[in-house]
């Protein structure tokens, strides 16, 4: 009986051996396949976390400057008024500022979206005597910024505003209302210059350019200096009713790009 059982066990193992071999072979193939996939994945992300100088690459720069005429002149119009009470000081500001805003909209066709209140503040005025602090009045300050799109009216606006009581006046500060359009033009020229420089350099040193691996953009906008008129409550008297000549000039927008190519 024992011998018969032993023979059956040996026969069973013998019959199963081919299946075990097949399973072992499949397991080995899967291990190798997974290893290859892992290696390829690591190669794909090999550059992550490494500085650019750890791979073979070439970097070129391009610079472009666009001169454009400003299309907006920004004016700062402010009123400072003092009074024994807050109401008295505020009334001196409110009536005058309302008249100025009405003038801007009706006489100079300035749209509401181009008139912005920048500041409205109330400050007490103190007097020190016998070691005591006493409020002797109040100062109210209100200011607006105005975008003027018709430069021919800029001088008249400044003169009329001072006539109506504006006593802190500055500007115009010329600007481009939508600088992104000018920047886009400068960017296009800078990129074209960088690519041409890369092509020429590759021919000169005998290399082949691969894919772009890095891009950087930087630049500065050189704003024209604002023309000041006044500064304090008394300074407006000197320019009252005088319409200054305004010359907007041009505004330069400069942009630099840096492009890095992988060397094949």
């Amino acid at each position: 009986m024992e011998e018969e059982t032993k023979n059956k066990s040996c026969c069973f193992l013998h019959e199963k051996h081919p299946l075990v071999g097949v399973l072992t072979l499949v397991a080995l193939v899967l291990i190798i396949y997974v290893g290859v996939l892992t290696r390829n994945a690591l190669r794909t992300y090999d550059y992550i976390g490494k500085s650019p100088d750890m791979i073979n690459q070439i970097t070129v720069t391009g610079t472009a400057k666009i001169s454009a005429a400003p299309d907006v002149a920004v004016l700062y119009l402010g009123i400072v008024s003092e009074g024994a009470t807050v109401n008295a000081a505020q009334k001196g500001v409110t009536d005058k500022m309302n008249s100025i805003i009405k003038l801007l909209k009706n006489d100079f066709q300035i749209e509401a979206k181009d008139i912005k209140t920048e500041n409205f503040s109330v400050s007490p005025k103190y007097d020190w005597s016998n070691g005591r602090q006493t409020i002797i009045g109040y100062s109210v300050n209100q200011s607006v910024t105005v975008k003027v799109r018709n430069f021919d009216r800029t001088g008249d606006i400044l003169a009329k505003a001072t006539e109506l009581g504006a006593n802190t006046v500055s500007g115009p500060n010329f600007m481009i209302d939508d600088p992104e359009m000018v920047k886009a033009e400068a960017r296009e020229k800078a990129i074209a210059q960088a690519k041409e420089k890369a092509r020429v350099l590759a021919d000169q040193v005998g290399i082949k350019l691969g894919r772009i691996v890095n891009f950087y953009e930087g630049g500065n906008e050189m704003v024209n200096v604002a023309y000041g008129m006044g500064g304090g409550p008394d300074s407006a008297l000197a320019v009252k009713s005088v319409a200054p000549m305004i010359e907007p000039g041009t505004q330069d927008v400069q942009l630099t790009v840096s492009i890095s190519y992988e060397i094949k």
Side-chain angles (χ1 to χ4, degrees):
M1 179 66 69
E2 273 181 35
E3 188 66 25
E4 184 179 352
T5 303
K6 185 176 180 182
N7 290 337
K8 287 183 178 180
S9 298
C10 291
C11 183
F12 176 77
L13 290 175
H14 180 73
E15 291 176 352
K16 292 295 182 179
H17 275 312
L19 180 59
V20 172
V22 171
L23 292 176
T24 302
L25 181 61
V26 171
L28 289 175
V29 172
L30 287 175
I31 291 172
I32 295 173
Y33 178 71
V34 172
V36 172
L37 289 179
T38 303
R39 184 196 62 179
N40 292 340
L42 290 175
R43 284 184 175 180
T44 301
Y45 296 99
D46 190 41
Y47 296 149
I48 293 180
K50 295 184 178 181
S51 59
D53 57 357
M54 295 184 68
I55 62 175
N56 294 326
Q57 67 176 232
I58 184 173
T59 300
V60 292
T61 60
T63 301
K65 183 172 72 173
I66 303 296
S67 296
D71 53 5
V72 169
V74 179
L75 307 179
Y76 176 94
L77 307 176
I79 300 173
V80 178
S81 178
E82 297 177 353
T85 65
V86 173
N87 288 337
Q90 184 173 332
K91 181 174 176 56
V93 168
T94 302
D95 292 344
K96 293 176 182 178
M97 185 58 74
N98 288 346
S99 297
I100 291 174
I101 293 176
K102 182 179 179 180
L103 172 82
L104 294 173
K105 291 181 177 180
N106 295 341
D107 292 11
F108 294 101
Q109 288 75 51
I110 304 295
E111 297 183 29
K113 66 183 180 65
D114 289 333
I115 303 173
K116 179 182 178 182
T117 299
E118 291 290 343
N119 176 58
F120 184 91
S121 60
V122 179
S123 304
K125 297 183 64 180
Y126 296 98
D127 177 61
W128 287 87
S129 59
N130 299 323
R132 297 181 60 184
Q133 178 178 292
T134 306
I135 296 177
I136 59 174
Y138 296 87
S139 175
V140 176
N141 184 354
Q142 183 178 359
S143 61
V144 297
T145 54
V146 184
K147 287 184 178 181
V148 182
R149 302 179 187 277
N150 184 353
F151 295 163
D152 293 338
R153 312 300 300 274
T154 303
D156 292 333
I157 290 174
L158 291 171
K160 292 292 185 181
T162 56
E163 284 184 7
L164 293 176
N167 50 20
T168 53
V169 180
S170 65
N173 184 19
F174 294 102
M175 60 179 287
I176 299 172
D177 201 29
D178 185 10
E180 290 305 318
M181 293 182 61
V182 183
K183 288 180 181 179
E185 183 181 354
R187 183 184 301 111
E188 183 179 356
K189 291 187 176 182
I191 290 175
Q193 183 189 90
K195 287 184 174 181
E196 177 63 17
K197 187 184 296 185
R199 186 190 65 79
V200 172
L201 189 59
D203 290 341
Q204 291 176 341
V205 299
I207 59 175
K208 290 185 177 181
L209 300 176
R211 62 191 178 95
I212 294 177
V213 295
N214 192 28
F215 176 83
Y216 169 79
E217 175 185 316
N220 64 302
E221 187 175 327
M222 292 163 276
V223 182
N224 289 350
V225 178
Y227 296 90
M229 286 187 60
D234 297 331
S235 60
L237 298 176
V239 296
K240 190 173 182 179
S241 300
V242 178
M245 294 182 63
I246 304 299
E247 298 295 338
T250 59
Q251 187 169 344
D252 295 332
V253 175
Q254 181 170 304
L255 197 119
T256 299
V257 300
S258 175
I259 302 176
S260 297
Y261 289 89
E262 187 178 19
I263 299 176
K264 289 184 178 180

